[in-house]
Amino acid sequence: VQLVESGGGLVQAGGSLRLSCAAFGFTFEDYAIGWFRQAPGKEREGVSCISSSGDIRDYADSVKGRFTISRDNAKNTVYLQMNSLKPEDTAVYYCAATDLEGFWRLWTLPDSYDYWGQGTQVTVSS
């Protein structure tokens, strides 16, 4: 089982990045996917989630209207489009997978997830 994030990098404030999360070794279409981020000295924070079919999506208030989550089950990949980036978005971004029923009530809790990626660094300069 493996989740591999990519697409991070250095961008100026106001810019955009698209993160990808590729899944291997499990039945991807049975799992909801969450994106989290962790800045130095801070707790891991739930950013967004998407259900296994893609019909349920949710976002942290801090990214609503700027970030969009999507998935392509044919490619076993989830995407996080990040627009209007701010310096406070700087963090390591992780994707995670869960088959927990009713995950949307608990999606911001890291313990709700079974599998995690290694993370990708996003740095937004002012």
Side-chain angles (χ1 to χ4, degrees):
V1 174
Q2 196 174 14
L3 293 170
V4 180
E5 302 96 337
S6 61
L10 174 63
V11 64
Q12 288 189 332
S16 298
L17 285 173
R18 188 177 81 155
L19 304 184
S20 298
C21 171
F24 305 90
F26 62 98
T27 308
F28 180 72
E29 58 264 30
D30 289 344
Y31 282 74
I33 301 294
W35 281 100
F36 286 76
R37 65 187 181 187
Q38 189 164 20
K42 294 190 176 181
E43 292 187 354
R44 194 164 293 193
E45 172 193 21
V47 174
S48 183
C49 70
I50 188 167
S51 63
S52 57
S53 63
D55 59 344
I56 299 174
R57 310 178 192 198
D58 204 1
Y59 300 90
D61 288 343
S62 58
V63 306
K64 277 182 182 175
R66 300 188 297 122
F67 290 12
T68 302
I69 193 169
S70 61
R71 68 188 294 157
D72 184 341
N73 284 350
K75 295 182 178 180
N76 283 10
T77 302
V78 168
Y79 305 98
L80 186 68
Q81 178 67 43
M82 306 187 297
N83 298 331
S84 302
L85 283 162
K86 305 175 181 180
E88 51 263 45
D89 294 318
T90 295
V92 178
Y93 283 71
Y94 301 89
C95 63
T98 179
D99 64 353
L100 181 68
E101 196 169 331
F103 81 97
W104 55 89
R105 291 187 286 271
L106 302 170
W107 75 268
T108 61
L109 301 179
D111 286 348
S112 298
Y113 295 81
D114 303 304
Y115 309 125
W116 288 84
Q118 82 290 346
T120 186
Q121 176 71 47
V122 171
T123 303
V124 184
S125 63
S126 56

